[in-house]
Structures are given as structure tokens and as C-alpha cells.
């Protein structure tokens, strides 16, 4: 069993850290929130109280970060990390951050003597709690193999996507595709209804025809056909529009640098920005349906 320093016990991190505790690891939870640290202790973990820099990390084998954005990860990696973290301790960043930032942080860590991988996740809070996340991992093959046993405790699919930063590449490309397919699915259901075809009938046909997609069959944005989908609870997330927009903006940033044309990805970002401007970015990303219907 290993000693793990887990930084970021929010919506996702709390469930992930709890699964590591359940697997028998000694997990020191670190968060700005006293309440979240207390909740982690109540589930059998330990707490990093006081400044992270002063924490005695001499026994730590792996540091896992699950933080809101790249600037938070950079601050931890470059400034706030426990000072006596031993060389050779593995750094696993599960946050969704920019590709170039992940590459810079990963390579910088390796140069300082810390094996490091970027390992962003697909799957929301429920998957984090159930230990069924998908991990997309970037980094050297030997660092991926070091990370794998920890990731397998928190997820059901663990993929090595290639060199440092490639986990983030997989993540932004996947989510850009998801956004585009969700908006297309909303348009199709809305048009079908306006033309007199009810959602269930259109679903029965299209889900077995060439229009089928995950957005339709697992997350149908029209209420009715998929009972567990957020559309049946007035688009409460799920996966919030704000989160999707964050990922689409990351995709736009990297696309520009790579001179890759992403006309539909950019358009999807604009559509979700309309939801943000209407102060509705707390709705699930399938809530584009409300935007199309004029009921946002
Ligand atoms: P969150 O805001 O709920 O959690 C982040 C936590 O980090 C907060 O509890 C915050 O207090 C803590 N934190 C911030 N700065 C810190 C610091 N310096 N030291 C210690 N703790 C600090 O966010 P989340 O929903 O858990 O998402 C985390 C990451 O996972 C994001 O990068 C997000 O894009 C990604 N993600 C989220 C989902 C989702 O459905 N929520 C799905 C896939 C990926």
C-alpha cells in the first residue's frame, strides 16, 4: 500500500480520494476548504492541515492533483509543493488543463527528478464516486506504468495516449466532439418535434439509424427516451455548461497554435457562450435544447 498526497477534494477529487482510501492506501487530503478535508477524514483519510509547503511529505509515493485549472496546478507544482517531497515520487495531474501547460509542467517535473503524467478524466461526479472514470494519460511509458495501479483504483478504463500532454489532447478533442454532437442532437430533436414527430418516435428510429450517438442514446437531450438523462430533471447537471465551455476554450487555444481548423468546435463554443451570457452555464450542457426552444 502506498502513501498518497491528494490535492483538490472538490466534486471529482472527493470521490476519487475516497476510492483510494477504500483500496487501502494512506491518503493525505489537501484542500482550501476545511469542510472538504473534514469529509475526507470522515471517510478514513488523513488531512493536510496548514500550509502544503510545511507538510512532511517524506513518506509520500504519489501526488495526485484534481484542481480547477492550469494555474492552480502550476502554482502547486512550481511554488507550493511540500518541500521535502522525495525525488522519484510520482506526480499525477488529473485536472483538465491546457495541452502546452501540461507539457511544460510534466517535462519540468521530470527534469527536477519527479516522474509525471497528465491524466485527465472522462466521466462526471457519479463515475468519480463509483470508481468508473476513463483516464487518458500522457507521459513516458514507464511513468504511465507507475501511475496505472492508482488510476485503476479510480477508473475502469485507463489509456496511454502517448507523450506528455497527450492525455489533455485526447480530452479536449473528445469533449469538442461531444459538444458538437450534442448540439446536433438537440437540433434534430427540436426540428422533429416542430414537424410533428414526437421525441420517443424519433429516438426509436434515429437510435437504430445513422444518426445514433452517445449524446442520443446515453444522454438524450429531449425528455423521455433516456430516463437517467439530465433532460428529465430540467437539465440539472450532469456535466455543466461551464465545464464544457472551459474544455471548448482549451480546444480553441490549442487549435490556433496548431493551425488546425475547427469551424464546428468554434461554433459550439459560441453557442455555449450564449448560455453563459444568459447566466445559465450552471445548466447541463444538453440544455442547449432550451436555448433552441427559446425557453432558456
Ligand atoms: P471543484 O471546483 O469542485 O474542485 C476543485 C477543488 O480544488 C476545490 O475543492 C478547491 O477548494 C480545491 N483547490 C483549489 N486550489 C487549491 C489549492 N491551491 N490547494 C488545495 N486545494 C485547492 O472542481 P471539480 O468539478 O472537482 O473538477 C476538477 C477538475 O476535473 C477540473 O479541471 C475539471 O475540468 C475536471 N473535470 C470535472 C468533471 C466534472 O464533471 N465535475 C468531469 C471531468 C473533468
Amino acid at each position: 500500500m502506498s502513501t498518497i498526497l491528494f490535492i483538490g477534494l472538490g466534486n471529482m477529487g472527493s470521490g476519487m480520494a475516497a476510492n483510494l482510501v477504500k483500496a487501502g492506501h494512506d491518503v493525505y487530503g489537501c484542500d482550501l476548504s476545511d469542510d472538504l478535508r473534514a469529509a475526507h477524514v470522515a471517510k478514513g483519510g488523513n488531512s493536510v492541515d496548514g500550509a502544503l509547503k510545511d507538510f512532511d511529505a517524506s513518506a509520500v509515493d504519489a501526488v495526485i492533483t484534481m484542481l480547477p485549472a492550469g494555474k492552480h496546478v502550476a502554482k502547486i507544482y512550481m511554488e507550493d509543493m511540500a518541500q521535502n517531497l522525495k525525488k522519484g515520487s510520482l506526480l499525477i495531474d488529473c485536472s483538465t488543463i491546457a495541452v502546452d501547460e501540461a507539457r511544460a509542467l510534466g517535462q519540468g517535473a521530470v527534469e527536477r527528478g519527479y516522474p509525471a503524467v497528465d491524466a485527465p478524466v472522462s466521466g462526471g461526479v457519479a463515475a468519480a464516486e463509483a470508481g468508473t472514470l476513463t483516464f487518458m494519460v500522457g507521459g513516458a511509458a514507464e511513468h504511465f506504468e507507475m501511475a496505472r495501479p492508482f488510476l485503476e483504483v479510480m477508473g475502469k478504463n485507463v489509456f496511454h495516449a502517448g507523450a506528455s500532454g497527450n492525455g489533455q489532447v485526447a480530452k479536449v478533442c473528445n469533449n469538442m466532439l461531444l459538444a458538437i454532437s450534442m448540439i446536433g442532437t438537440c437540433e434534430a430533436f427540436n426540428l422533429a418535434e416542430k414537424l410533428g414527430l414526437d421525441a420517443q418516435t424519433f429516438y426509436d428510429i434515429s437510435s437504430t439509424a445513422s444518426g445514433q450517438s452517445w449524446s442520443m442514446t446515453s444522454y438524450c437531450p429531449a425528455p423521455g427516451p433516456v430516463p437517467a438523462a439530465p433532460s428529465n430533471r430540467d437539465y440539472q447537471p450532469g456535466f455543466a455548461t461551464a465545464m464544457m465551455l472551459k474544455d471548448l476554450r482549451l480546444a480553441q487555444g490549442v487549435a490556433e497554435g496548431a493551425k488546425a481548423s475547427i469551424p464546428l468546435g468554434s461554433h459550439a463554443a459560441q453557442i455555449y457562450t450564449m448560455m453563459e451570457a444568459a447566466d445559465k452555464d450552471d445548466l447541463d450542457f444538453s440544455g442547449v435544447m432550451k436555448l433552441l426552444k427559446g425557453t432558456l
Side-chain angles (χ1 to χ4, degrees), residues 110-241:
V110 170
E111 279 161 20
R112 295 196 305 280
Y114 299 105
V117 294
D118 50 291
V121 306
S122 177
V125 174
E129 281 168 7
T132 57
L133 292 165
T134 291
F135 286 93
M136 305 157 229
V137 187
E142 64 268 31
H143 300 166
F144 169 70
E145 289 306 332
M146 288 172 77
R148 190 205 287 271
F150 300 112
L151 301 179
E152 282 178 345
V153 167
M154 300 183 282
K156 69 171 192 286
N157 296 308
V158 179
F159 295 104
H160 187 208
S164 176
N166 276 21
Q168 301 292 350
V169 173
K171 169 79 186 174
V172 290
C173 292
N174 179 74
N175 278 20
M176 183 181 76
L177 177 57
L178 173 62
I180 293 166
S181 104
M182 178 54 77
I183 294 168
T185 307
C186 289
E187 287 186 3
F189 273 93
N190 189 43
L191 178 62
E193 194 189 309
K194 292 231 183 243
L195 296 175
L197 186 56
D198 68 86
Q200 187 64 54
T201 308
F202 178 60
Y203 177 89
D204 291 343
I205 296 167
S206 193
S207 64
T208 54
S210 48
Q212 186 273 338
S213 69
W214 184 91
S215 294
M216 179 181 288
T217 55
S218 295
Y219 217 82
C220 186
V226 177
S231 54
N232 297 297
R233 42 176 203 271
D234 204 20
Y235 302 95
Q236 291 312 301
F239 186 51
T241 291

Side-chain angles (χ1 to χ4, degrees), residues 8 10-12 31-32 36 66-68 96 121 123-124 171 243 246:
N11 292 324
M12 297 293 287
D31 198 286
L32 302 175
L36 290 174
M66 192 51 166
L67 294 162
T96 303
V121 306
K171 169 79 186 174
M243 290 276 182
K246 172 191 169 186

